[in-house]
Amino acid sequence: MTRYKAIVSYDGSQYGGWQKQLNTNSIQEEIEKALKTMHKHQVEIVASGRTDAKVHAIAQVFHFDSSMEVKEGHWERALNSLLPKDIRIQKVERVSDEFHARFDAISKRYDFLITNDVLNPFLENYMAKEHHTLDVSYMKDCATVFLGTHDFTSFTSNKIDPRKPREKTITRLDVIEEENCIRLVFEGTGFLRYMVRMISQTLIEAGKHRLTKEDIKQMLEMKDKHACRYKAAPQGLYLVKVNYKGE
Amino acid sequence: MTRYKAIVSYDGSQYGGWQKQLNTNSIQEEIEKALKTMHKHQVEIVASGRTDAKVHAIAQVFHFDSSMEVKEGHWERALNSLLPKDIRIQKVERVSDEFHARFDAISKRYDFLITNDVLNPFLENYMAKEHHTLDVSYMKDCATVFLGTHDFTSFTSNKIDPRKPREKTITRLDVIEEENCIRLVFEGTGFLRYMVRMISQTLIEAGKHRLTKEDIKQMLEMKDKHACRYKAAPQGLYLVKVNYKGE
């Protein structure tokens, strides 16, 4: 058996999320189906983490084990020929048997995109739409509140397992004005469920002057799962990169 | 009764085309459904022309008649609140009772987008994908063959009504290299069914050096409905603008 690390991009618009589940289609299921067609038996894949329904990935990472003999560069072609076009394998490479896509990830980057171009139908599945003009420099200022290591209980699903650690470190949170959107860039050691979307919507509210920097500081310090009632639209969210030691 | 001219953008990915038809959803049907909800009776709309399944529009034009009292700027909001998000009304304005969206159109612009970024899942519904690197300067040279007035019988559906005129004038056919795609810009007095897609694929074949400029000239001169067997993917095509006299 050889372990492989794979990088996959997907347009999440038509999926119920990464993880296999009843009653909805998932990215994981599609990839496992393609691997099963190749192997004639079930091949389980393990991702760096889940993404929610309608969330996209530029470079999600997963690993799997196989004893199939496939030439360098042929895994991608074989899998892509079996996968739906909105899921594209970018790269498959042999790794050490100890490599683990989830446990070995040391940091991740997520981007969140917001557009004012509300009448543009082509952005519907790819950005969060916002009617208001946002005060970007105030959003930049408020973003600094989240930098560093914090208990992010206030900015995650209130259904999260209470035994899981809520302490995470955000190393970068940039608010960048681009031609047709505002891009929020998050980098950190890990992110709790809904954390990026909840922080994103909080910053959008600040950009509309409906929240102050002081309000946001208080929300974070409360460490209360009911403190933040904001959550941005999933279609604005992209898993951009997963970083591993020694890369 | 007042006549209105409307401009609509749509992401055609999920539709069987502009025109109402059995067994598939259409842009026309969605807009007429929204107008019916507002009026409590059927309101027919007339477009500048059809677009095929999966083809997009930046600015399709249609007209309709209504005796409803709706304030300036409120038609857009009312219709958009009833329409699916991939169809967005950009503008509705009162026009003379004689205005006709199809008969009064004096020219149109269509763009066709081609990308080499074949592993990008986000472009799947929005550009034609091409594995080969295309010789853009040769494509530019070949594009000149189509400029001017020609009988385009060789570059249209072979099922087209034989009584319809096949003579059209192309006033612009630019091949433009952009950051992530090649954009073909077509402007002309009118386009036959499949004409833009058939010319686009012909230029792509030339860009791969599978057709010469001389081959293309001959195809055009044959005026034979079987002369061209090329037709580019619908998802690369955008109706960009419809021009009317006096604008």
Side-chain angles (χ1 to χ4, degrees):
Chain A
M1 288 293 247
T2 304
R3 182 152 289 188
Y4 293 92
K5 173 188 175 191
I7 298 178
V8 60
S9 307
Y10 47 85
D11 177 335
S13 314
Q14 309 298 324
Y15 294 93
W18 170 269
Q19 199 174 43
K20 249 187 314 192
Q21 50 194 312
L22 282 174
N23 306 323
T24 178
N25 57 351
S26 68
I27 322 290
Q28 183 185 9
E29 192 185 344
E30 295 291 347
I31 297 172
E32 289 187 349
K33 219 191 295 173
L35 283 166
K36 189 176 181 181
T37 303
M38 287 179 74
H39 290 78
K40 318 284 178 217
H41 62 78
Q42 183 70 21
V43 177
E44 207 192 331
I45 66 175
V46 177
S48 73
R50 307 173 192 179
T51 53
D52 288 319
K54 293 179 187 300
V55 172
H56 312 293
I58 306 293
Q60 166 72 293
V61 176
F62 64 89
H63 76 253
F64 65 96
D65 295 321
S66 170
S67 52
M68 253 182 105
E69 295 283 337
V70 179
K71 269 195 221 158
E72 189 82 14
H74 285 227
W75 275 109
E76 296 85 344
R77 223 181 296 175
L79 286 168
N80 284 331
S81 72
L82 295 166
L83 282 165
K85 298 287 178 91
D86 49 9
I87 302 176
R88 294 288 90 185
I89 303 290
Q90 305 295 313
K91 206 181 161 136
V92 176
E93 55 178 355
R94 290 182 73 141
V95 285
S96 113
D97 290 351
E98 282 81 48
F99 175 82
H100 193 286
R102 183 157 86 251
F103 301 146
D104 291 356
I106 52 171
S107 67
K108 283 184 184 177
R109 170 176 167 174
Y110 279 99
D111 286 9
F112 192 88
L113 305 185
I114 307 149
T115 181
N116 273 143
D117 192 1
V118 293
L119 290 181
N120 186 334
F122 300 100
L123 303 178
E124 195 51 39
N125 293 323
Y126 306 106
M127 296 188 187
K129 288 189 168 180
E130 179 50 56
H131 282 82
H132 294 78
T133 305
L134 302 177
D135 180 344
V136 172
S137 68
Y138 192 59
M139 289 169 75
K140 285 182 190 188
D141 186 27
C142 291
T144 62
V145 170
F146 297 103
L147 289 175
T149 304
H150 302 278
D151 178 323
F152 282 96
T153 301
S154 300
F155 293 91
T156 183
S157 166
N158 54 33
K159 287 181 198 118
I160 207 174
D161 183 342
R163 294 160 304 181
K164 276 197 183 168
R166 319 284 178 81
E167 202 163 84
K168 299 287 171 187
T169 304
I170 295 186
T171 53
R172 177 183 179 193
L173 207 178
D174 288 345
V175 182
I176 302 165
E177 269 189 284
E178 297 192 351
E179 203 191 333
N180 68 341
C181 71
I182 294 167
R183 180 185 296 268
L184 310 180
V185 178
F186 293 81
E187 280 181 19
T189 56
F191 294 90
L192 301 167
R193 187 154 206 211
Y194 300 149
M195 182 171 147
V196 176
R197 287 164 61 192
M198 290 175 81
I199 295 175
S200 294
Q201 191 63 39
T202 298
L203 291 174
I204 291 168
E205 298 301 318
K208 292 189 272 193
H209 293 293
R210 289 184 182 167
L211 282 177
T212 65
K213 188 176 179 182
E214 201 46 50
D215 295 332
I216 297 173
K217 271 187 195 161
Q218 281 177 18
M219 279 161 70
L220 183 61
E221 282 162 12
M222 281 170 79
K223 297 167 199 166
D224 172 354
K225 60 187 186 170
H226 301 294
C228 173
R229 56 199 170 80
Y230 304 111
K231 186 168 74 183
Q235 60 264 39
L237 186 58
Y238 294 76
L239 171 56
V240 174
K241 184 124 200 320
V242 186
N243 298 303
Y244 293 91
K245 232 186 317 195
E247 277 186 336
Chain B
M1 287 294 245
T2 303
R3 181 151 289 188
Y4 292 93
K5 173 190 175 191
I7 298 178
V8 60
S9 307
Y10 48 85
D11 177 336
S13 315
Q14 309 300 323
Y15 295 91
W18 169 268
Q19 199 174 45
K20 248 187 317 192
Q21 49 194 312
L22 281 175
N23 306 323
T24 178
N25 57 350
S26 68
I27 323 290
Q28 183 186 8
E29 192 184 343
E30 295 291 348
I31 297 172
E32 290 187 350
K33 219 191 294 174
L35 283 166
K36 190 176 179 179
T37 303
M38 286 178 73
H39 290 78
K40 318 285 177 214
H41 62 80
Q42 183 71 20
V43 177
E44 207 194 329
I45 65 175
V46 178
S48 72
R50 307 173 193 179
T51 53
D52 288 318
K54 294 180 187 298
V55 171
H56 311 293
I58 306 293
Q60 166 72 292
V61 176
F62 65 89
H63 76 252
F64 64 96
D65 295 320
S66 170
S67 52
M68 254 182 103
E69 296 283 336
V70 180
K71 270 195 223 158
E72 189 82 14
H74 285 227
W75 275 108
E76 296 85 344
R77 223 183 295 174
L79 286 167
N80 284 331
S81 72
L82 296 166
L83 282 164
K85 298 285 178 96
D86 49 10
I87 302 175
R88 294 288 91 184
I89 303 291
Q90 305 295 313
K91 205 181 160 130
V92 177
E93 56 178 354
R94 290 181 74 141
V95 285
S96 113
D97 289 352
E98 282 79 47
F99 175 82
H100 193 286
R102 184 157 86 253
F103 302 146
D104 292 356
I106 51 173
S107 68
K108 283 184 184 176
R109 170 176 168 174
Y110 280 98
D111 285 10
F112 192 89
L113 305 185
I114 308 148
T115 182
N116 273 144
D117 193 1
V118 294
L119 289 181
N120 186 334
F122 300 101
L123 303 178
E124 195 51 39
N125 293 323
Y126 306 106
M127 295 188 188
K129 288 188 168 181
E130 179 49 56
H131 282 82
H132 293 76
T133 305
L134 302 177
D135 180 344
V136 171
S137 68
Y138 192 58
M139 290 170 76
K140 285 183 191 191
D141 186 27
C142 291
T144 62
V145 171
F146 297 103
L147 288 175
T149 303
H150 302 278
D151 178 323
F152 283 96
T153 300
S154 299
F155 293 91
T156 183
S157 166
N158 54 34
K159 287 182 199 118
I160 206 174
D161 183 343
R163 294 160 302 180
K164 275 198 183 168
R166 319 285 178 79
E167 202 165 82
K168 299 287 171 186
T169 303
I170 294 186
T171 53
R172 177 183 179 193
L173 207 180
D174 289 346
V175 183
I176 303 165
E177 269 189 283
E178 298 192 351
E179 203 191 335
N180 69 340
C181 71
I182 295 167
R183 180 184 295 269
L184 310 180
V185 178
F186 293 82
E187 279 180 18
T189 56
F191 295 90
L192 300 166
R193 187 155 205 209
Y194 299 150
M195 181 171 149
V196 175
R197 286 164 62 192
M198 291 174 79
I199 295 175
S200 294
Q201 191 62 38
T202 299
L203 291 174
I204 291 169
E205 298 301 318
K208 291 190 272 191
H209 293 294
R210 289 185 182 166
L211 282 178
T212 65
K213 189 176 178 182
E214 201 47 51
D215 295 333
I216 298 173
K217 271 187 194 160
Q218 282 177 19
M219 279 162 69
L220 184 60
E221 282 161 12
M222 283 170 79
K223 296 168 200 164
D224 172 355
K225 59 187 186 169
H226 301 294
C228 173
R229 57 200 168 80
Y230 304 112
K231 186 169 75 183
Q235 61 265 37
L237 186 57
Y238 293 76
L239 171 56
V240 174
K241 184 120 198 322
V242 186
N243 298 303
Y244 293 90
K245 232 187 312 197
E247 275 184 336

